[in-house]
Amino acid sequence: MGGTVLISGGGIAGLTLAIELHNNGFDPVVIEREPALRREGYMMDFFGSGWDVAERMGLLERLRAIRYPIDVLQFVDDHGAAWLDVPIGRLRHALRGKYIYLRRQDLERVLAERASELGIEIRYGTSLHSLAGQSNGVRATFVGGRSEDFDLVIGADGVHSRVRSLVFGPEKQFARFLGLYVAGLHVPQDGYPLGHACKLFEETDRAAFLYPLDDKTMDATYIFRHDQRNYAGARTLTFLRAQYRGGGWISENVLRQHQPGEPLYFDSATQIVMPEWHRGRVALIGDACGCLTLLAGQGSHMAMAGAYVLARELKRHSDHADAFRAYQAFLKPHVDKRQRDAARFSGYFVPSPGSIRWLRHLTMRLLFSAAGLRTLMGFVGSRSVLTGHY
Ligand SMILES: Cc1cc2nc3c(=O)[nH]c(=O)nc-3n(C[C@H](O)[C@H](O)[C@H](O)COP(=O)(O)OP(=O)(O)OC[C@H]3O[C@@H](n4cnc5c(N)ncnc54)[C@H](O)[C@@H]3O)c2cc1C
């Protein structure tokens, strides 16, 4: 069909969609609230549908060139001693070689570079004030007052989507809180050399995953249980440090390394569950309509798959409504399944007060054995959803 498409959100979903729409004859414009590519983020596992889309986009070599010195996943105790080693090669083998570690900002940078090579317009530091339906388009008014008309508008603006709240209503009706909070930070390794291991430390109601980026710095992901649904305090770092007060191994100390003002990702683990992903000339993709949370380990994959499928359906159909319906009919069952699985698993992600340590360790050893991993990967739906369809 072709035409102008406003994409709100220059993250993984928005940039993938912009590239795919451009390649299929559309004229996309991306608006991104942040003034530049985001600096805050976290380490991600990249495989499955995300891998497949990246390969079809011709981006795999650029992604494979990004390397971090991680040879092994190491579960450690209160003293930092390993109680389980899982070589990365075992994970890679379970995923038939199609597996890499990436930081979210790496993936966004590679996508943004590709978009810029193609001449796609990305307007940083801009966001939507309102949307109004016209007879054959949508009028977008940006913060600051300027208006512009587009044929279609796509919300790729993440779990707290602005487009979703403008068109579908407040977030709370779609939010499924999983009882956990997540933080991602980047700190010096000062005094805590990790070697070539991603170290995973857990104790009751909280966990810390530390990833070496080089000899001097690391990414840390902190995950803790908390029953307050909407913590939105201004003093996030203070709140985070309070959750790890008295934390074992180096979990408390690493948080002291983080300086106020440095990039810090912080949010609840909240899924977005919606009956419909489109209305009129507006549709949602990625976390905006189907956030899985980190528990699924596949949010970026499904964000890329959603963008890829939507672009193809828009090209295939002369009517945008048919394209939106086909996109949702194909992808939503895959997202629903992953959301259900992740929600079921959320109670076990970090040890609960009732956890029996030796039983948990035994379960982990079985899950991360070569046979266990093959079964686990089959269960979590690690195969690309695009196989055989697109
Ligand atoms: C700690 C953690 C670990 C994870 N690990 C993995 C993993 O291992 N594997 C995996 O596949 N997934 C993982 N995920 C999930 C994955 O990061 C997300 O599913 C993915 O980033 C979703 O992409 P998105 O583009 O839909 O949303 P986002 O990445 O949230 O991007 C949305 C973009 O929209 C912008 N935006 C927001 N509001 C506005 C506005 N009003 N106007 C304009 N722009 C706006 C934002 O600044 C952002 O750039 C993890 C998530 C977390 C939190």
Side-chain angles (χ1 to χ4, degrees):
M1 54 180 271
T4 56
V5 183
L6 175 67
I7 301 170
S8 172
I12 295 164
L15 292 169
T16 304
L17 182 67
I19 295 167
E20 288 300 302
L21 284 179
H22 172 93
N23 290 342
N24 283 290
F26 290 79
D27 187 10
V29 172
V30 179
I31 56 165
E32 166 55 49
R33 183 182 56 185
E34 297 296 321
L37 274 174
R38 290 182 291 179
R39 287 201 301 140
E40 40 91 339
Y42 36 79
M43 195 65 92
M44 301 194 308
D45 300 295
F46 194 69
F47 55 93
S49 309
W51 182 285
D52 212 9
V53 175
E55 190 165 33
R56 291 168 192 212
M57 293 173 83
L59 298 178
L60 215 45
E61 288 320 306
R62 297 190 203 195
L63 295 175
R64 286 181 113 141
I66 299 162
R67 286 180 198 281
Y68 295 104
I70 302 175
D71 300 333
V72 62
L73 296 183
Q74 200 166 75
F75 290 81
V76 299
D77 66 13
D78 278 354
H79 307 288
W83 56 266
L84 174 60
D85 277 333
V86 184
I88 295 296
R90 190 183 295 168
L91 263 172
R92 198 166 283 131
H93 185 69
L95 292 162
R96 282 155 292 157
K98 299 181 171 185
Y99 171 83
I100 43 173
Y101 265 113
L102 279 179
R103 299 170 84 203
R104 183 186 67 185
Q105 47 271 62
D106 295 330
L107 184 52
E108 288 181 347
R109 178 180 48 74
V110 166
L111 290 166
E113 278 167 13
R114 183 68 191 132
S116 125
E117 285 160 15
L118 295 171
I120 294 168
E121 187 180 353
I122 306 176
R123 302 178 191 163
Y124 285 100
T126 314
S127 71
L128 277 173
H129 174 265
S130 59
L131 290 170
Q134 307 288 96
S135 55
N136 52 4
V138 185
R139 174 150 304 167
T141 302
F142 303 104
V143 171
R146 208 170 56 79
S147 293
E148 213 172 313
D149 292 342
F150 294 89
D151 294 318
L152 300 174
V153 172
I154 308 296
D157 38 9
V159 62
H160 307 298
S161 168
R162 173 81 180 142
V163 172
R164 189 185 61 229
S165 67
L166 287 173
V167 177
F168 298 84
E171 181 172 316
K172 64 173 190 286
Q173 60 189 307
F174 308 118
R176 184 195 279 161
F177 175 53
L178 300 185
L180 297 165
Y181 276 79
V182 187
L185 49 146
H186 175 76
V187 284
Q189 276 193 41
D190 283 3
Y192 313 117
L194 299 177
H196 285 191
C198 161
K199 308 247 183 187
L200 298 95
F201 172 72
E202 52 176 39
E203 54 191 349
T204 304
D205 289 339
R206 55 194 180 186
F209 303 166
L210 307 182
Y211 305 83
L213 300 179
D214 50 40
D215 289 345
K216 296 194 171 61
T217 58
M218 62 171 137
D219 264 7
T221 301
Y222 278 72
I223 302 155
F224 59 93
R225 194 170 277 121
H226 200 282
D227 52 15
Q228 191 180 335
R229 176 170 276 267
N230 284 314
Y231 176 80
R235 296 171 63 81
T236 306
L237 185 57
T238 310
F239 179 69
L240 178 61
R241 283 179 174 155
Q243 305 311 310
Y244 283 83
R245 197 161 296 137
W249 188 43
I250 58 174
S251 62
E252 182 178 16
N253 294 344
V254 165
L255 284 179
R256 288 208 203 103
Q257 309 268 3
H258 186 81
Q259 299 306 313
E262 285 295 305
L264 173 69
Y265 169 87
F266 183 84
D267 208 345
S268 61
T270 297
Q271 296 183 334
I272 297 296
V273 185
M274 301 178 72
E276 294 291 333
W277 288 357
H278 55 93
R279 186 168 291 173
R281 289 178 169 270
V282 178
L284 304 173
I285 58 171
D287 276 8
C289 56
C291 180
L292 304 173
T293 74
L294 87 159
L295 273 65
Q298 298 181 56
S300 74
H301 315 172
M302 298 312 280
M304 292 180 82
Y308 186 86
V309 169
L310 178 58
R312 258 150 199 73
E313 293 300 347
L314 283 168
K315 184 179 181 202
R316 205 156 69 86
H317 293 275
S318 53
D319 182 356
H320 67 275
D322 291 336
F324 288 171
R325 270 193 291 274
Y327 148 69
Q328 177 178 317
F330 173 76
L331 202 73
K332 195 168 182 310
H334 292 291
V335 169
D336 289 349
K337 179 186 181 317
R338 283 160 177 76
Q339 288 186 323
R340 280 194 304 272
D341 290 346
R344 224 177 283 137
F345 174 55
S346 61
Y348 306 101
F349 199 76
V350 296
S352 60
S355 272
I356 302 166
R357 184 183 275 226
W358 68 264
L359 191 55
R360 187 170 171 90
H361 285 199
L362 178 65
T363 309
M364 295 300 221
R365 286 195 175 98
L366 291 172
L367 276 179
F368 284 94
S369 66
L373 269 178
R374 274 197 304 276
T375 314
L376 179 69
M377 289 305 161
F379 174 73
V380 300
S382 59
R383 296 186 81 142
S384 170
V385 299
L386 302 185
T387 313
H389 286 272
Y390 288 91

